[in-house]
Amino acid sequence: MQAALNSWRLQPAGLACWAPRAGSGAARLCCRRGAPACSASSSRRSSSSSSSSSSSSSSSSSSSSSSSTDAASPKEQPQQQQQEAGSGVSIAFRGRALRAPRGAKLRSALLEAGLTPHNGRAQLINCRGLGTCGTCAVEIRGEVEPPAWTAAERLRLHFPPHGPPGNGKLRLACQVSCQGDLEVVKYSGFWGQGAERQGAVGAGDVGPPPLGRLEFILDRSKRDGGGTGEERM
């Protein structure tokens, strides 16, 4: 209603009248100048005007603060996304611990960390991730994808020297991707088909893969330019 009010006007007969703006629907009011009722009415109108201005100011300030908060949010989103992407999974292998991005091939994750799922000369003589040689056979405890043997694993892990009953606990590291924290066990033998667990990796056994980046030629995620970005713990 305050927006519709006009100023007080003095009348010749000693009356002070308030004339509302046209179309506001308010009645015209008059009182004698100097009368207590007249002064009180004027004070109330002044107080109402000040309150209205103060409320408007507070509303603008709140709006401004809200806009600033909203504007800051998009800047925080990339940092949050980076933190989530960088969390990855933990892999324990022969006395060593490393981290790898979720979805990385287990064989690639081990090789990039300076470790290997192959025993002895099999580090040089293997299929580089095709799934045909069977030398990267390991026991995996934890979540991987796919959860069951692939067609390549079903064929190779039933082909000598792999076979029942020991083959049931094995997976091929080149055929599975890491989906959760893993404990990986390597067994003895050229193909990893033995009954004895391999011991801790010595400091002299940690290093880059024999063929460098060619080791990952059959890993689609590496071939498409996506690195696994493993880091040792």
Side-chain angles (χ1 to χ4, degrees), residues 11-228:
Q11 304 298 319
L15 296 178
C17 293
W18 168 73
R21 182 165 300 177
S24 66
R28 188 168 184 263
L29 300 176
C30 293
C31 63
R32 186 172 299 279
R33 279 183 295 166
C38 197
S39 299
S41 180
S42 181
S43 296
R44 279 196 300 271
R45 271 185 293 276
S46 296
S47 174
S48 175
S49 179
S50 296
S51 296
S52 181
S53 297
S54 176
S55 295
S56 179
S57 229
S58 294
S59 179
S60 293
S61 176
S62 296
S63 246
S64 238
S65 296
S66 177
S67 296
S68 297
T69 303
D70 292 343
S73 296
K75 295 180 182 178
E76 296 172 359
Q77 288 175 1
Q79 294 178 359
Q80 184 179 356
Q81 289 171 357
Q82 287 175 7
Q83 289 174 357
E84 292 174 355
S87 60
V89 300
S90 174
I91 303 173
F93 178 74
R94 297 185 61 185
R96 300 271 173 162
L98 61 138
R99 292 195 69 79
R102 193 178 304 276
K105 288 289 186 185
L106 177 56
R107 178 180 182 273
S108 296
L110 292 173
L111 290 174
E112 285 213 328
L115 305 173
T116 178
H118 306 284
N119 287 336
R121 287 178 296 174
Q123 294 181 49
L124 286 172
I125 308 170
N126 64 75
C127 67
R128 264 66 204 182
L130 192 59
T132 56
C133 73
T135 62
C136 67
V138 292
E139 180 181 358
I140 302 172
R141 297 167 186 168
E143 185 183 359
V144 294
E145 183 65 34
W149 281 350
T150 62
E153 289 177 294
R154 192 174 299 107
L155 288 172
R156 190 61 192 85
L157 292 174
H158 277 95
F159 188 83
H162 290 298
N167 66 342
K169 63 186 177 185
L170 300 177
R171 299 295 304 269
L172 297 183
C174 67
Q175 297 296 301
V176 299
S177 61
C178 310
Q179 298 299 323
D181 293 345
L182 306 176
E183 182 183 351
V184 181
V185 179
K186 183 68 183 179
Y187 290 95
S188 58
F190 184 85
W191 285 272
Q193 80 281 9
E196 297 179 5
R197 291 175 57 141
Q198 295 289 68
V201 176
D205 296 326
V206 178
L211 299 186
R213 303 308 296 177
L214 288 177
E215 292 284 356
F216 312 110
I217 194 168
L218 296 177
D219 184 340
R220 179 176 298 177
S221 66
K222 307 293 291 180
R223 190 170 66 245
D224 292 344
T228 57

